[in-house]
Amino acid sequence: MHTLLDRTTALHQAGTHTEWDIAIIGGGATGLGIAVDAATRGYKTILLEQHDFAKGTSSRSTKLVHGGVRYLAMGDIRLVYDALHERGVIFRNAPHLAHTQPFIIPCYSVFSKWKYLIGLKIYDWLAGRYRIGKSTFVPKKETHDSLPGIKTDRLKGGVRYFDGQFDDARLAVNLAQTAATYGATVLNYCKVTELCKDSRGRLTGLRFTDGETKKDFQVNAKAIINATGVFVDDILQLDVDEHRPLVRPSQGTHVVVDRNFLGTRDALMIPETSDGRVLFGVPWHNYLLLGTTDTPIATHSLEPLPLDAEIDFILKTAAAYLTHPPKRTDILSIFAGLRPLAAPDRENGSTKEISRDHKLIVNSSGLITITGGKWTTYRKMAEETVDRAIATTALHPRPCHTKTTKIHGYSTQRQVGHWAGYGSDAVHIRALADAVPELQEKLHDDFDHIGAEVAWAVRHEMARTVEDVLARRLRILFLDAAKSMEMAPKVAAIMAKELRKDAAWIAGQIEGYGELAKRYLPNAEMAILRNEKEI
């Protein structure tokens, strides 16, 4: 099978191609979406990511493709309408990754029952032809049968509605593969170090350093797009010394526990938490994902640390609704992501009021920056960004095709279990396992993942480290951090064979991954770090 994401080939292309139409900085949801949009229009496109694809915010979402019930309550009809329609596009173009997920809002008063039912009928109506289910009232017994862990005292029933669920990091990898299918050059572990300008101060290109070879490259491009999420201000600083911050990061933390605390089919939506947000309890890969929080953060990082107060908030909120709520000792993994919220013109203490919509700006140098938004609307954001690039540079106008572009792995035959996220690639991974018997071995007794998936991630998904595989290709770090550490030696050994690395590399990978995975555990050592951060 032809390798779409081959790093050696991509670096050669970066070093030999004389001029690109579009250079994209950032390999998260937005940047990868832009690469797909630009490449499918026929523009010569290069994308550079300083770490791995979706390393930051884009692998740390609540795994929902949704319009945003909360935004409806806030009156942001346009955002909800756009997101619901984009949800439909994702369902159509990536059916192997997105599926319908039923949610239930438990109602403890007659008033709340009608309030949420009416609101969700509007939500259904806004989805139009992209509606994926009909919101209905659910009697008390059915509510309890569907959510066996829910408290039934004074329960009047519930309201069931339907939204989408997906695997964020796998969609990111598939978008990178899709862009490459249409001719884009896509690179991870390449950090942009400088923006190049002509005598008039207009951008002509950029310089970047390959993190593996430490070699420097220069890229000439007609349009340069900054899609680096919470890091957009770092790139803007390269353009303008006196840059005023565009983004105010907000941290969202998630806690993962055993699925039995809630049930196995329906998700829980808690509509009004003590801080005025919503909290979800979502079945994900046979686990239960609880979140999220909304905490203003002063600094950004690639590995944000969940705060103890956030963990307590999630557990306390869940305890108000569940008969046998999870305790801190039940947590299998904790992870935090930073939302790149467009900073408000006036400072205020709450990030709930800051726009969830995206911002698109063009500097006098020609640098185009896109920030804000959410996974569900990644495609629409990409379309707007490429349209802006056409309007402000010397690019020849070409129409957008991504409303109907199938994402790599597209398959209407839904695979079973952990194979589901691979779509049409599943058959190739199984063939690889058949051809190399030792790759049929399971990576851990408690998971169905096999060695062939690791080899596949290296050969076809540009995985370069144990973290790339266990965090973003297989998702084990986000599900059970301790067991992911137990998997690391096997994963490192398979990767070393694929990448022709030695025993020292294996040892370094296992040690480095172990240090990282500890940050995802609710242990005392991390609690000290989290408390220091809060102080």
Side-chain angles (χ1 to χ4, degrees):
M1 182 187 168
H2 172 60
T3 301
L4 291 173
L5 296 181
D6 182 79
R7 226 172 158 277
T8 306
T9 303
L11 278 172
H12 177 73
Q13 290 167 345
T16 56
H17 193 72
T18 51
E19 186 175 51
W20 303 81
D21 292 319
I22 295 178
I24 302 152
I25 311 170
T30 309
L32 291 164
I34 293 166
V36 171
D37 187 295
T40 52
R41 295 194 202 207
Y43 294 123
K44 192 66 184 165
T45 303
I46 185 168
L47 177 143
L48 304 163
E49 161 57 43
Q50 67 170 330
H51 199 274
D52 184 31
F53 307 119
K55 158 69 177 178
T57 310
S58 296
S59 62
R60 299 159 186 269
S61 74
T62 315
K63 323 304 173 198
L64 301 180
V65 190
H66 63 142
V69 174
R70 183 164 61 88
Y71 309 133
L72 185 63
M74 291 163 66
D76 202 339
I77 303 295
R78 166 54 61 181
L79 182 62
V80 175
Y81 176 85
D82 286 346
L84 286 170
H85 283 242
E86 289 301 315
R87 179 187 70 181
V89 174
I90 291 173
F91 268 61
R92 188 176 63 203
N93 293 339
H96 62 298
L97 285 176
H99 62 271
T100 301
Q101 172 63 55
F103 287 78
I104 291 180
I105 302 176
C107 300
Y108 293 89
S109 73
V110 175
F111 173 74
S112 64
K113 176 180 87 171
W114 287 106
K115 180 173 82 167
Y116 298 129
L117 186 60
I118 290 166
L120 288 162
K121 287 292 185 186
I122 296 170
Y123 194 66
D124 292 348
W125 175 73
L126 285 170
R129 65 192 174 97
Y130 291 116
R131 193 178 80 178
I132 56 176
K134 187 179 178 183
S135 298
T136 54
F137 180 66
V138 183
K140 179 177 177 177
K141 184 181 183 304
E142 190 181 338
T143 300
H144 183 249
D145 289 346
S146 301
L147 301 175
I150 203 77
K151 284 184 177 177
T152 55
D153 186 35
R154 297 199 304 277
L155 182 68
K156 306 295 182 199
V159 176
R160 179 182 280 128
Y161 73 98
F162 298 86
D163 239 325
Q165 187 179 38
F166 79 132
D167 193 311
D168 46 15
R170 286 229 60 86
L171 178 53
V173 169
N174 284 169
L175 288 173
Q177 292 167 313
T178 307
T181 301
Y182 286 92
T185 296
V186 183
L187 278 161
N188 56 4
Y189 295 99
C190 286
K191 185 176 174 66
V192 172
T193 55
E194 186 185 339
L195 298 178
C196 308
K197 298 180 181 179
D198 62 18
S199 57
R200 296 173 301 136
R202 298 285 296 178
L203 285 184
T204 57
L206 54 80
R207 294 183 198 277
F208 73 89
T209 303
D210 172 30
E212 293 189 347
T213 63
K214 308 305 177 194
K215 187 179 170 188
D216 292 324
F217 292 79
Q218 175 153 345
V219 167
N220 297 320
K222 293 173 187 169
I224 296 177
I225 296 168
N226 173 16
T228 52
V230 291
F231 295 92
V232 291
D233 288 317
D234 296 2
I235 302 300
L236 285 162
Q237 196 79 47
L238 292 178
D239 187 40
V240 182
D241 287 341
E242 305 293 308
H243 167 66
R244 176 179 169 269
L246 185 68
V247 157
R248 170 139 172 224
S250 164
Q251 179 161 296
T253 288
H254 296 84
V255 163
V256 178
V257 296
D258 192 282
R259 200 164 175 165
N260 292 333
F261 283 104
L262 181 67
T264 57
R265 191 177 76 93
D266 289 76
L268 167 69
M269 201 272 250
I270 298 170
E272 290 175 30
T273 61
S274 58
D275 71 343
R277 288 182 53 78
V278 300
L279 192 89
F280 293 103
V282 186
W284 185 56
H285 288 297
N286 295 318
Y287 291 80
L288 178 64
L289 182 70
L290 295 168
T292 180
T293 57
D294 195 352
T295 311
I297 296 290
T299 57
H300 57 260
S301 69
L302 278 166
E303 275 297 335
L305 200 61
L307 306 178
D308 260 352
E310 292 180 296
I311 299 164
D312 290 341
F313 169 78
I314 291 171
L315 294 177
K316 186 179 174 184
T317 304
Y321 288 83
L322 301 179
T323 48
H324 301 289
K327 300 183 290 295
R328 193 172 277 256
T329 50
D330 295 310
I331 295 173
L332 301 170
S333 184
I334 313 165
F335 62 92
L338 300 181
R339 302 178 192 90
L341 301 185
D345 294 327
R346 290 197 310 275
E347 282 295 313
N348 67 42
S350 169
T351 58
K352 292 198 303 294
E353 311 310 322
I354 301 175
S355 174
R356 252 55 185 179
D357 214 342
H358 56 278
K359 264 190 181 177
L360 189 54
I361 62 166
V362 183
N363 281 16
S364 58
S365 65
L367 177 66
I368 298 163
T369 297
I370 175 80
T371 188
K374 52 192 241 178
W375 247 119
T376 310
T377 54
Y378 87 90
R379 190 213 63 82
K380 189 171 189 292
M381 289 165 64
E383 180 180 352
E384 288 180 22
T385 307
V386 176
D387 284 347
R388 183 67 63 91
I390 292 167
T392 55
T393 62
L395 291 172
H396 182 71
R398 292 170 185 166
C400 174
H401 301 291
T402 54
K403 275 187 180 172
T404 54
T405 300
K406 291 178 172 60
I407 304 303
H408 178 89
Y410 175 95
S411 174
T412 53
Q413 297 289 110
R414 187 142 178 89
Q415 301 284 334
V416 177
H418 77 287
W419 294 106
Y422 289 113
S424 61
D425 281 343
V427 65
H428 301 298
I429 301 170
R430 288 193 183 105
L432 175 59
D434 290 341
V436 187
E438 62 260 35
L439 293 179
Q440 295 171 14
E441 192 180 326
K442 285 171 72 169
L443 300 174
H444 193 286
D445 288 342
D446 294 344
F447 291 87
D448 291 331
H449 297 285
I450 59 173
E453 294 173 72
V454 180
W456 179 268
V458 174
R459 296 182 194 181
H460 298 283
E461 298 180 347
M462 218 181 266
R464 311 299 289 179
T465 69
V466 168
E467 181 202 336
D468 293 349
V469 171
L470 287 174
R472 288 170 293 280
R473 304 306 184 277
L474 302 185
R475 313 319 311 269
I476 312 299
L477 175 62
F478 291 87
L479 298 170
D480 192 322
K483 285 177 183 170
S484 79
M485 291 164 77
E486 294 168 13
M487 276 191 190
K490 270 189 183 175
V491 171
I494 296 167
M495 293 188 77
K497 199 169 178 182
E498 292 291 325
L499 293 167
R500 297 184 178 85
K501 300 291 186 182
D502 58 14
W505 182 89
I506 293 174
Q509 282 290 310
I510 294 168
E511 184 184 355
Y513 182 76
E515 288 301 310
L516 172 79
K518 283 179 191 170
R519 297 171 68 98
Y520 290 71
L521 290 167
N523 54 29
E525 181 189 342
M526 284 299 105
I528 292 166
L529 266 176
R530 284 191 287 267
N531 285 326
E532 284 175 356
K533 186 181 174 189
E534 287 179 85
I535 293 162

